[in-house]
Amino acid sequence: MTKGTETPASGQVPYDSGSEEAGLAETQAGQQKRIWYRSVPFQIAVASGVSFTAPGMWDALGGLGAGGAAEPYAVSAANALVYGLFSIVCVLAGAINNRIGLKYALGLGAIGYPLYGAGLYTNNVHPSTGFLLFGSAMCGISAGFFWAAEAAVIIGYPSPHERAFYLAIWQTAKASGPIVGGAINLGLNANRSTAGSVGSTTYIVFIAIMCLGLPIALLLSPASKVWRKDGTKVLIHRQPTYTAEFKAVWKQLISRRILLLLPAFFISYFYNGYNSTFLTQHFTVRSRAFSSFFTNFSGIFSSFLIAALLDRQSINIKTRAKIAFTCIITILIGTWIWASVLLKQFMDAPEMPVFDWFTGGFGKSYALVFFWAFGGQAFQQFLYWLVGQYATDISSLSHVTGILRGFEALGQTVAWAMQTAPNANGFASIGVNFGMTVLCVVPTWIVLSELEHSHEVQETIEEPVSKVVDESN
């Protein structure tokens, strides 16, 4: 008998022991073993490893401002292309991933990131937008599969009462990519105290790390073979056809709850476009390298703060959600007021300031970048946690996380498109960000007011009885 293939009872079709079908068969037969590489922590480690190597390095390049380029406009156009394709593919990927399996979806999602890095390298060495746009297009398509799959793993594999903690672990891994990348940037560019583009060696190192994402992704276990320490299953409700999967996505999209959350999805990462331009226009190469290294610590800090609140079972789940959302919105609105004050000061100066690290004006300007990341990462983690509370199983979660990331990417498409013109109005960007942040408050608050408990249907391996986990106390 070939290794990795199991022969079921007579009359049945053989199956691959690593497939979802094999996992379901084993679980139903009561044969699921608690092997360490099938545990939730190992699956989170795999997903976090891919996040570190692929989008983590992508974020590190973005942390340099304009992908490390001297001028932000071509790279802003490339990023708009990335997010435009990403927004379309990600909504559809939730359905496709349910059919092909999360492991292969995650692997497919990791392929495009090295191509994006190669496009930035080519544009840096021999300025040409052709390959940059090609790499961006491939990254946008690939990332659509990646983010829909990874979000489903990070939220769906752990039990409901552990999700915020594992989200924080994932956010830490994702932020660690830019931290390591930022350290590389800092080491290679520490002597460059002027504005401009980073050295080409920086890109080569990043591309090499990005290539590790695919082999790491293939270590992920099928959802049906994962075991939780509380004995509950990761439930799967796969539709029989692709058409049925797409119909299920559409049903989620037009549901009242998702429609109310769309403004929050749209604005959650909108700040990135103006953040990149702000860094490129007002910071030297080495101060941007410092930012790409240090800023990510703010995201790690805010992730664990928000996780400590959201997983605290002694507080009513609705109260937890409202406190977290209020704090996040207060921080984000504060950053845009701060940004408008700084921009007015810059406009009134004899010439537009460019800050080197730890020189006059650097602190108050860089602090804005720090708190954008602090509030932005907390907001994303909060939205992941929120949609996870309403999902009934990992299949429905795959649909809704695809929608979340798709509309988040649509927002970033608009944000980056606003930065493509050399004479882009900074006050317009600030105004749109401020207005959209305020606009999402009321509809999101309505959803929070209706949150009473986790809606995941749970079933234990020993006692296959469906029940709803009540987190209202």
Side-chain angles (χ1 to χ4, degrees):
M1 186 170 62
T2 304
K3 183 179 180 181
T5 303
E6 299 183 14
T7 305
S10 177
Q12 295 182 354
V13 179
Y15 51 69
D16 180 356
S17 62
S19 68
E20 294 284 5
E21 288 78 7
L24 285 169
E26 288 181 13
T27 300
Q28 290 166 357
Q31 298 174 348
Q32 190 180 52
K33 297 180 180 179
R34 293 200 165 192
I35 306 172
W36 64 273
Y37 59 81
R38 303 294 191 195
S39 66
V40 170
F42 185 81
Q43 311 315 311
I44 301 301
V46 170
S48 297
V50 183
S51 189
F52 171 87
T53 57
M57 291 298 115
W58 193 94
D59 282 347
L61 288 172
L64 284 173
E71 297 294 339
Y73 316 116
V75 177
S76 293
N79 285 340
L81 177 60
V82 169
Y83 286 113
L85 290 170
F86 176 7
S87 64
I88 297 171
V89 174
C90 198
V91 174
L92 302 176
I96 298 172
N97 290 352
N98 276 347
R99 299 291 302 168
I100 66 176
L102 293 176
K103 175 170 72 173
Y104 299 111
L106 199 63
L108 179 62
I111 292 174
Y113 286 93
L115 295 175
Y116 176 83
L120 288 177
Y121 170 80
T122 303
N123 187 59
N124 181 272
V125 177
H126 303 291
S128 172
T129 59
F131 189 69
L132 174 61
L133 294 177
F134 170 78
S136 299
M138 292 300 98
C139 185
I141 294 171
S142 180
F145 289 94
F146 176 85
W147 285 113
E150 186 180 55
V153 171
I154 298 296
I155 307 171
Y157 278 22
S159 300
H161 64 276
E162 298 179 317
R163 283 176 179 163
F165 171 74
Y166 281 116
L167 277 167
I169 295 293
W170 164 67
Q171 290 280 27
T172 299
K174 181 171 175 285
S176 295
I179 288 171
V180 173
I184 295 170
N185 295 336
L186 201 54
L188 294 175
N189 299 288
N191 62 341
R192 304 187 63 187
S193 59
T194 61
S197 61
V198 303
S200 58
T201 307
T202 306
Y203 296 103
I204 296 174
V205 174
F206 283 173
I207 293 168
I209 297 174
M210 285 175 167
C211 289
L212 297 175
L214 175 59
I216 294 174
L218 297 179
L219 297 175
L220 188 76
S221 293
S224 56
K225 302 190 80 170
V226 174
W227 59 269
R228 294 167 169 173
K229 63 183 181 183
D230 64 1
T232 58
K233 301 177 185 178
V234 180
L235 294 184
I236 303 165
H237 184 227
R238 181 184 297 166
Q239 299 295 331
T241 64
Y242 280 98
T243 300
E245 288 283 359
F246 291 129
K247 286 182 178 179
V249 171
W250 175 251
K251 184 178 179 180
Q252 285 272 17
L253 180 58
I254 62 174
S255 66
R256 173 178 173 274
R257 185 179 299 124
I258 294 300
L259 290 175
L260 286 170
L261 289 174
L262 288 184
F265 295 170
F266 185 86
I267 196 62
S268 59
Y269 258 177
F270 201 90
Y271 72 91
N272 265 344
Y274 183 67
N275 179 41
S276 179
T277 299
F278 183 81
L279 280 165
T280 307
Q281 292 181 337
H282 302 298
F283 293 83
T284 63
V285 169
R286 68 180 181 183
S287 61
R288 284 153 55 191
F290 170 81
S291 173
S292 72
F293 168 72
F294 190 75
T295 301
N296 296 284
F297 286 104
S298 70
I300 293 174
F301 184 49
S302 66
S303 293
F304 279 97
L305 278 179
I306 205 77
L309 171 61
L310 294 177
D311 277 346
R312 187 171 292 276
Q313 305 302 307
S314 60
I315 304 176
N316 179 279
I317 190 171
K318 184 187 300 185
T319 304
R320 283 180 258 158
K322 287 184 174 181
I323 292 173
F325 182 64
T326 301
C327 293
I328 291 167
I329 291 298
T330 300
I331 292 170
L332 292 176
I333 289 177
T335 60
W336 294 114
I337 295 173
W338 190 346
S340 63
V341 171
L342 283 180
L343 185 57
K344 180 63 168 62
Q345 293 176 356
F346 296 165
M347 299 285 286
D348 291 341
E351 59 181 25
M352 193 66 72
V354 176
F355 301 107
D356 196 16
W357 56 14
F358 309 119
T359 57
F362 173 81
K364 66 179 181 181
S365 301
Y366 170 69
L368 177 61
V369 177
F370 186 89
F371 280 101
W372 270 330
F374 184 94
Q377 292 297 332
F379 198 18
Q380 185 189 54
Q381 182 167 329
F382 172 78
L383 291 174
Y384 274 146
W385 175 85
L386 180 60
V387 298
Q389 301 308 309
Y390 283 110
T392 56
D393 52 61
I394 199 167
S395 301
S396 67
L397 185 59
S398 181
H399 296 156
V400 76
T401 53
I403 295 170
L404 189 165
R405 293 298 313 215
F407 276 85
E408 175 194 286
L410 179 61
Q412 293 198 68
T413 303
V414 176
W416 284 105
M418 290 175 64
Q419 308 305 315
T420 56
N423 60 345
N425 189 318
F427 284 112
S429 296
I430 293 170
V432 171
N433 274 278
F434 180 88
M436 286 296 296
T437 302
V438 172
L439 184 64
C440 81
V441 172
V442 172
T444 305
W445 196 263
I446 293 173
V447 175
L448 299 182
S449 298
E450 298 171 351
L451 179 62
E452 300 295 343
H453 51 71
S454 172
H455 287 233
E456 181 182 272
V457 176
Q458 289 201 331
E459 183 177 294
T460 62
I461 296 173
E462 296 79 14
E463 298 176 341
V465 180
S466 296
K467 62 179 179 179
V468 175
V469 178
D470 188 354
E471 280 196 5
S472 59
N473 294 320

